[in-house]
Amino acid sequence: MSETAKSLNFIEQIIEEDLEKGYSKDELRFRFPPEPNGYLHIGHASSICLNFGLGLRYNAPVNLRFDDTNPAKEEQEFVDAIKRDVEWLGYRWDTERYASDYFQQLYDWAILLIKNGKAYVDSQSSEEMAKQKGTPTESGTESPFRNRSIDENLALFEGMKNGDFEEGTHVLRAKIDMASSNMLMRDPIMYRILHRPHHRTNTDWCIYPMYDWTHGESDYIEQVSHSLCTLEFLPHRELYNWFLDQVYDSQKIRPKQREFARRNLSHTVVSKRKLAQLVEQNIVKGWDDPRMPTISGLRRRGYTPEAIRNFADTIGIAKRENLIDVSLLEFNIREHLNRVAPRVMGVLDPLKLVITNYLEGREEWLEAENNPGDESAGFREVPFSKELYIEKADFKEQANKKFFRLKLGHEVRLKNGYIIKAESCTKDNDGNIIEVQCTYDPKSKSGSGTEESLRKVKGTLHWVSIAHALEAEIRLYDRLFTDENPDGHKDKDFMEFVNPNSLEVITGYVEPSLKDAKTEDRFQFQRIGYFCVDKDSNPKKLVFNKTVGLRDSWAKIQQKD
Ligand code: ATP
Ligand code: MG
């Protein structure tokens, strides 16, 4: 096997084999087929990266096809959100398609099937039909309507289409084999009556095609060569092929369904239906709540398309389902933001610090590097003055040698600024420290080139000047679910594991350079983590979401293994 062949995933191997067997490269075509019944989630990102990734690898078109055959659940809002998210991830589809574009063609083909004796109208209730389905080991029972004449079937089916019947009175079924060992082949339903307006076809139709009948034929209409779906559709493959057989013209590309494992992420759920429940029950504030595993939620949280694509690439595709630890996703965003996010200073839990030997009313603008790893990121200026905020956790009256922060009688450097020494502190009546008094070494300014500026002290603290700092609302997030696999319990509903403390809102203080930060701008708050400007932010009140902390817990997990 050549070096490149080794690195191919199993789907790429299938395609390579097809190319060797005579497919030409320009016959390759893929599609990403979401149902517009919710927002895309991180599981979909895997499917998007797979399909669009194949498009890029083989220079083949990839359609965005909305699988919109269920008017009860589908909405334009979801169509718009899906398009926005796919584009944001960095992919361009060839054409935008809708299964509903094919309603007429599918109807015409259904008539062809009836004429060929391959479909019939069943007028039993769904309960009766369910009873006749049999079990995997026991044959089903044929419907009493199975042998209706072609003319009667045609007339009834037309009546269904024309709205002559109530919902649930008739269905169109494929006439396959009630004894098949594959339950899906036991005369599956092709159409049901639904008197509901559709988000695109409005009231043109009151019969709607089922997924199995629609999907393969849509692939065929679009001449998709490889139709990739998740593993639960493996047993559907036989039916997919049977439906294709009914209409297939050998001059054309015959689509091939192949399956890969669904991706699941720990501490969350990846199912639109379940995510919809979180939205409807106000557990979160909408589909783009930063705690949601949706693409929109991750974007609002501060994730970058690069990080999500790298994540999808790293986990690759698999033949078996497993649970991916969310810390791997966090590793990817931390890694990308470390390279690109500008550094700023913000204090989230403020303690007042007064520099007693600094002139009252004096202010200095200190030069600060925007990104130590990237010279081209340049510099900004941060204001320094007599009264600052530092983090409460960065000061102790006394502490052991391992405490490389500020303690009485000891020195630290203020980032981009001076070396200070803690002299005393003030407490309130309950004994809480409310102010620290320090002295500073005027010759120790960072970057000034003096001997004192080069003096090494253990510990560097971030800070903001109280007079200049901007107050900001900071939203801190924890896992949305307390359980690693909320969906994986037979006896318990996933909703039982919702973490009641997944959001904490605090007031912090940030340096004034952030005044003009815009929605979705991302920053590293030095020594704390990565933060992103929320859409609720406005010039009067900055709002930040914490994307992820600086600590690399994933690397630790890996080291343990
Ligand atoms: P959901 O249960 O979230 O609605 P779905 O499979 O019904 O998922 P679709 O909109 O039908 O959602 O999915 C569009 C495509 O994305 C399909 O090809 C589907 O197989 C794939 N997909 C959905 N969820 C995942 C996942 N968790 N991992 C990988 N691919 C997925
Ligand atoms: Mg679905």
Side-chain angles (χ1 to χ4, degrees), residues 56 69 97 104 113 163 225 259 261 290 298 409 544:
L56 292 171
T69 55
R97 302 294 187 106
Q104 185 62 46
L113 262 68
S225 58
E259 307 80 13
L298 291 167
F544 288 94

Short mmCIF file of all heavy atoms in Angstrom, two decimals, residues 56 69 97 104 113 163 225 259 261 290 298 409 544:
data_model
loop_
_atom_site.label_atom_id
_atom_site.label_comp_id
_atom_site.label_asym_id
_atom_site.label_seq_id
_atom_site.Cartn_x
_atom_site.Cartn_y
_atom_site.Cartn_z
N LEU A 56 -13.50 18.67 -1.72
CA LEU A 56 -12.23 19.38 -1.94
C LEU A 56 -11.14 18.42 -2.43
O LEU A 56 -10.41 18.72 -3.35
CB LEU A 56 -11.79 20.07 -0.64
CG LEU A 56 -12.66 21.24 -0.20
CD1 LEU A 56 -12.27 21.70 1.21
CD2 LEU A 56 -12.56 22.41 -1.18
N THR A 69 -39.20 16.72 4.17
CA THR A 69 -40.41 15.97 3.81
C THR A 69 -41.41 15.90 4.95
O THR A 69 -42.43 15.24 4.82
CB THR A 69 -40.04 14.54 3.39
OG1 THR A 69 -39.28 13.95 4.45
CG2 THR A 69 -39.23 14.53 2.13
N ARG A 97 -30.32 22.50 -2.72
CA ARG A 97 -31.45 21.70 -3.17
C ARG A 97 -32.39 21.42 -2.01
O ARG A 97 -32.01 21.50 -0.85
CB ARG A 97 -30.96 20.35 -3.74
CG ARG A 97 -29.98 20.47 -4.89
CD ARG A 97 -30.67 21.07 -6.10
NE ARG A 97 -29.78 21.03 -7.25
CZ ARG A 97 -29.94 20.19 -8.26
NH1 ARG A 97 -30.93 19.31 -8.27
NH2 ARG A 97 -29.10 20.22 -9.28
N GLN A 104 -42.91 16.51 -7.26
CA GLN A 104 -43.63 16.12 -8.48
C GLN A 104 -43.00 14.87 -9.12
O GLN A 104 -43.68 13.92 -9.46
CB GLN A 104 -43.65 17.27 -9.50
CG GLN A 104 -44.49 16.98 -10.74
CD GLN A 104 -45.97 16.75 -10.41
OE1 GLN A 104 -46.57 17.50 -9.64
NE2 GLN A 104 -46.55 15.68 -10.96
N LEU A 113 -44.53 3.09 -10.22
CA LEU A 113 -44.47 1.89 -9.37
C LEU A 113 -45.83 1.22 -9.28
O LEU A 113 -45.94 -0.01 -9.37
CB LEU A 113 -43.96 2.23 -7.96
CG LEU A 113 -42.46 1.97 -7.71
CD1 LEU A 113 -41.61 2.93 -8.52
CD2 LEU A 113 -42.11 2.08 -6.22
N GLY A 163 -56.57 15.60 -1.94
CA GLY A 163 -57.11 16.04 -0.66
C GLY A 163 -58.50 15.49 -0.38
O GLY A 163 -59.24 16.06 0.43
N SER A 225 -22.87 10.46 -6.39
CA SER A 225 -22.23 9.15 -6.57
C SER A 225 -22.14 8.38 -5.26
O SER A 225 -22.37 7.19 -5.22
CB SER A 225 -20.84 9.32 -7.19
OG SER A 225 -20.04 10.14 -6.35
N GLU A 259 -22.12 3.91 5.01
CA GLU A 259 -22.41 4.38 6.36
C GLU A 259 -21.15 4.57 7.20
O GLU A 259 -20.18 3.85 7.04
CB GLU A 259 -23.32 3.37 7.07
CG GLU A 259 -24.58 3.01 6.29
CD GLU A 259 -24.33 1.97 5.19
OE1 GLU A 259 -23.25 1.35 5.18
OE2 GLU A 259 -25.21 1.77 4.32
N ALA A 261 -19.93 5.95 11.44
CA ALA A 261 -20.48 6.05 12.80
C ALA A 261 -20.84 7.48 13.17
O ALA A 261 -20.13 8.42 12.84
CB ALA A 261 -19.48 5.50 13.81
N PRO A 290 -24.43 29.74 24.34
CA PRO A 290 -23.04 29.26 24.30
C PRO A 290 -22.80 27.92 24.99
O PRO A 290 -21.73 27.34 24.84
CB PRO A 290 -22.27 30.38 25.01
CG PRO A 290 -23.12 31.59 24.82
CD PRO A 290 -24.54 31.10 24.88
N LEU A 298 -21.48 27.15 19.60
CA LEU A 298 -20.01 27.14 19.69
C LEU A 298 -19.42 28.44 19.14
O LEU A 298 -18.47 28.98 19.69
CB LEU A 298 -19.45 25.93 18.93
CG LEU A 298 -19.75 24.57 19.58
CD1 LEU A 298 -19.43 23.43 18.61
CD2 LEU A 298 -18.96 24.40 20.87
N GLY A 409 5.55 41.51 52.17
CA GLY A 409 7.01 41.53 52.25
C GLY A 409 7.69 40.97 51.02
O GLY A 409 8.92 40.91 50.96
N PHE A 544 -18.89 39.47 27.82
CA PHE A 544 -17.97 38.44 27.32
C PHE A 544 -18.45 37.04 27.72
O PHE A 544 -18.96 36.85 28.82
CB PHE A 544 -16.57 38.63 27.92
CG PHE A 544 -15.84 39.82 27.36
CD1 PHE A 544 -15.91 41.05 28.01
CD2 PHE A 544 -15.10 39.71 26.21
CE1 PHE A 544 -15.23 42.15 27.50
CE2 PHE A 544 -14.42 40.80 25.69
CZ PHE A 544 -14.48 42.03 26.34
#
